[in-house]
Amino acid sequence: MRNYDLGLTLTSGQTFRWVRQQGAWEGVVGPHWVRLHVALEGIRAETAVPVTNWDWLAAYLQSRVNLEAVLKTFPPDAPLGAAVAACRGLRLLRQDPWECLASFLLSSTKQIVQIQQIIAMLCARYGSPVAVPPGHEPAFAFPCADRLAGCEEAELRACKMGFRARYLRAVAQKVTSGEMDLRRLAVLSMDEARSRLMELPGVGRKIADCVLLFGYGFQQAFPVDVWVMRALGRLYFRGRRVTGRRRERFVATHFGPHAGYAQQYLFHYMRTRGASRPRVAD
DNA sequence: GCCCAGGTGAAGC
DNA sequence: GCTTCACATGGG
């Protein structure tokens, strides 16, 4: 697969469970432990148990997406061009909606490293073990909603998630009870699906947009966190903050049909480039 | 000690 | 609509 930077994609803050081990990437996708190697001909995958149908992995990695075609839809502006040049081969994944929702519930005002730690602890304590190669350390699936719904808030807090524990527990209970049907969101319009997600406690616009983009593949979802806020302000609005209707209109019209991809490029560009530079006024 | 992190909800204008 | 604050926890 050309034009796929696996390491960049797996560490770009859309997923939190991949670990680099001896030049490869190890993680769990659904019920499968996977080790991914970057090879000349593309990405090579190993599992612990034999697999005949690899569709689930291709779907997760979005490896059949024609990235060049996506990039061609971007507006030809300088900031986005610089971001694309700096992040060649950055892709969007398609993740399980429940794992995505739960993960981003835990993401608020946390650094990516800390989100990774919280989720690792949560999976080790409450996820079902999955098959791993002989002698390999144990690996776990992401805990299902039922399991987390049955946890006490204090048990979740013990995973270092702080005030987010109450939200995670409440959302897990709504998913378990069927009050929130995550599968049904896939057939709604993006705006309807977002409204439903935002009814959940602890889920605002930003987290909802992450789930719409990373979990459901709504290409126009455009999560705005502190970094993307900075990118928009500094790169497109002459250093001024943009909020509300104005921002909404801009991101909905300026970045085209794959605005979500543009967002991911700006996010990563800002997070890596911006940090090494003295901070200017937001 | 300080400020910040892939935010949200409540309260106050 | 907007601003401010609390909410846990850890990194720099």
Side-chain angles (χ1 to χ4, degrees):
Chain A
M1 215 166 316
R2 284 176 302 137
N3 214 353
Y4 199 126
D5 189 327
L6 184 66
L8 182 57
T9 298
L10 297 180
T11 58
S12 64
Q14 45 180 326
T15 185
F16 303 100
R17 299 199 61 201
W18 292 90
V19 178
R20 189 158 177 83
Q21 293 284 5
Q22 294 153 7
W25 291 96
E26 295 185 5
V28 178
V29 177
H32 308 277
W33 175 92
V34 196
R35 177 151 50 202
L36 300 172
H37 300 265
V38 175
L40 276 178
E41 69 280 8
I43 296 169
R44 191 160 48 80
E46 277 176 75
T47 51
V49 292
V51 167
T52 50
N53 185 341
W54 292 93
D55 287 349
W56 53 274
L57 187 58
Y60 177 86
L61 293 173
Q62 293 283 285
S63 49
R64 291 167 188 154
V65 165
N66 182 344
L67 185 59
E68 285 308 322
V70 170
L71 299 181
K72 272 187 195 153
T73 67
F74 283 5
D77 66 57
L80 194 51
V84 169
C87 311
R88 279 278 166 213
L90 174 60
R91 302 274 186 147
L92 287 180
L93 302 168
R94 181 73 59 83
Q95 304 173 58
D96 172 68
W98 162 245
E99 176 170 346
C100 192
L101 171 59
S103 297
F104 279 95
L105 255 182
L106 300 174
S107 74
S108 65
T109 56
K110 276 290 180 195
Q111 297 185 125
I112 289 176
V113 192
Q114 296 170 351
I115 303 168
Q116 291 167 341
Q117 292 166 354
I118 293 168
I119 292 177
M121 202 176 304
L122 190 68
C123 292
R125 294 190 182 180
Y126 301 110
S128 304
V130 298
V132 293
H136 194 280
E137 67 181 40
F140 304 89
F142 192 89
C144 59
D146 309 37
R147 184 69 182 89
L148 296 185
C151 287
E152 294 299 329
E153 186 181 323
E155 298 180 280
L156 298 178
R157 279 187 183 250
C159 297
K160 309 294 183 187
M161 63 185 73
F163 61 85
R164 303 159 195 83
R166 190 161 49 85
Y167 295 143
L168 181 60
R169 182 161 183 267
V171 169
Q173 288 175 347
K174 285 180 193 292
V175 169
T176 297
S177 71
E179 183 180 338
M180 170 56 60
D181 184 351
L182 290 177
R183 271 175 310 183
R184 213 180 81 77
L185 298 189
V187 302
L188 300 180
S189 71
M190 180 174 76
D191 289 341
E192 288 172 330
R194 181 191 293 118
S195 298
R196 291 290 289 128
L197 286 169
M198 288 178 67
E199 291 169 9
L200 296 169
V203 179
R205 175 64 187 254
K206 190 269 171 181
I207 291 176
D209 279 342
C210 285
V211 178
L212 293 174
L213 184 62
F214 305 137
Y216 290 96
F218 284 105
Q219 298 288 293
Q220 299 229 52
F222 194 99
V224 179
D225 74 321
V226 288
W227 293 103
V228 175
M229 180 72 102
R230 277 171 205 150
L232 290 175
R234 292 181 194 173
L235 304 176
Y236 292 97
F237 288 86
R238 306 196 299 178
R240 309 299 302 167
R241 266 165 55 89
V242 251
T243 57
R245 274 289 133 87
R246 220 155 92 82
R247 187 181 78 200
E248 178 117 17
R249 204 174 316 117
F250 178 73
V251 303
T253 57
H254 182 73
F255 294 107
H258 299 282
Y261 270 89
Q263 174 278 153
Q264 194 64 13
Y265 278 90
L266 291 173
F267 170 73
H268 199 268
Y269 180 60
M270 208 63 189
R271 212 166 70 85
T272 50
R273 289 298 177 289
S276 61
R277 208 164 284 193
R279 195 170 304 280
V280 249
D282 282 277

